[in-house]
């Protein structure tokens, strides 16, 4: 992370157009090739092909049960796949071992439930993985954790425990914790779905800021305002398949499939 540490979350300017398929080196940062996965008889990912370029913000939309979370979880091997391959910055994800730990550290993940350690202070939550996994000194980990907490606007809460913070604050800590590992890509799986409505924007603002700084992001979200503002590309999934991929304005104004039209009519008309 090279940005300044003391800014509060601010509305980032909309993402500018970026190359759609590959970065300037011609290599996608995340690539899924013919990925298939079953849970028992349920075919949950069906021939998923997806590339995400460096600096690209991808928003994944689709009805509940379409495989969005499973796809995210395969990208850092929280779930295995049956066939196909997943590459992070050109390197295939191995099944297990030290190399998997290393590659997994390159993928930051933020979940609907914040998953902070309840018995650790906020600062300790953010310092933990850098000290344990990256072997950063405690002093350096502390300094960087404070910078990250300032960046997401919760540095004043550093010595508190998660339960003493609001949901929006906890989710911002979860983002800081993921960033502390210096990931190449950040995955967000419905990061605002468990929040009270008045806390949604403070989390989306942090995500917009990250997007504006060039972070590569894959975001599963139903926040259409965020999708329109931040996404370079939208992917629509249903029944384990990617049915549509396109620029946000194209997708929202001219969805091609009946499934997408139906989905959009349900979320936008309320
Ligand atoms: N661990 C699991 N075991 C069995 N079935 C699962 C598991 N996780 C998810 N599923 C099923 O896989 C399908 C896709 O789920 P999920 O990826 O969570 O979809 P989404 O995030 O789009 O709502 C659903 O039918 C869900 O019930
Ligand atoms: Mg899900």
């Amino acid at each position: 992370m090279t940005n300044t540490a003391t800014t509060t979350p601010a509305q980032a300017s909309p993402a500018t157009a970026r190359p759609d398929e590959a970065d300037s080196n011609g290599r996608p940062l995340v690539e899924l090739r013919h990925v298939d996965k079953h849970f028992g008889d349920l075919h949950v990912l069906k021939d998923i092909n997806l590339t995400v370029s460096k600096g690209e913000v991808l928003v994944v939309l689709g009805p509940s049960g379409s495989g969005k979370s499973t796809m995210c979880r395969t990208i850092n091997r929280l779930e295995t796949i049956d066939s196909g391959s997943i590459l992070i910055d050109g390197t295939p994800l191995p099944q297990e071992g030290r190399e998997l730990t290393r590659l997994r550290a390159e993928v930051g993940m933020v979940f609907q439930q914040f998953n902070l350690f309840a018995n650790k202070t906020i600062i300790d939550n953010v310092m933990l993985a850098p000290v344990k996994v990256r072997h950063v000194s405690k002093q350096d980990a502390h300094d960087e954790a404070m910078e990250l907490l300032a960046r997401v606007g919760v540095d004043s809460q550093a010595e508190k425990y998660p339960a003493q913070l609001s949901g929006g604050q906890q989710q911002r800590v979860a983002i800081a914790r993921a960033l502390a590992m210096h990931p190449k890509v950040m995955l967000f799986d419905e990061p605002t779905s468990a929040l009270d409505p008045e806390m949604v924007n403070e989390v989306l603002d942090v995500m917009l800021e990250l997007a504006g700084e060039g972070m590569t992001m894959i975001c599963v979200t139903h926040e259409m305002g965020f999708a329109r503002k931040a996404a370079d590309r939208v992917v629509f999934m249903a029944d384990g398949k990617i049915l549509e991929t396109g620029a946000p304005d194209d997708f929202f104004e001219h969805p091609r499939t009946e499934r997408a039209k139906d989905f959009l009519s349900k979320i936008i008309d309320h």
Side-chain angles (χ1 to χ4, degrees), residues 39 42 44 62-71 79 189-190 220:
F39 285 120
L42 187 68
V44 59
S64 179
S66 54
K68 305 181 300 295
S69 293
T70 304
M71 184 176 80
E79 298 283 0
D189 190 1
E190 301 201 30
V220 179

Side-chain angles (χ1 to χ4, degrees), residues 1 27-31 52 54 72 75-77 86-94 98-110 129 133-134 177-188 215-218:
M1 273 335 115
R27 187 167 77 183
L29 194 50
V30 178
E31 187 171 9
V52 185
K54 190 163 187 287
C72 283
I75 295 173
N76 65 354
R77 266 289 189 270
I86 299 177
L87 296 89
I88 307 291
D89 209 4
T91 306
L93 269 182
R98 188 171 293 188
E99 185 65 359
L100 175 59
T101 308
R102 193 184 66 74
L103 279 174
R104 195 180 259 160
E106 296 185 342
V107 181
M109 184 132 185
V110 175
V133 181
R134 284 179 48 227
R177 181 180 59 172
L179 292 174
M181 289 299 284
H182 298 188
K184 287 183 177 166
V185 54
M186 288 280 285
L187 305 181
F188 294 87
M215 176 60 80
T216 308
M217 297 169 44
I218 300 175

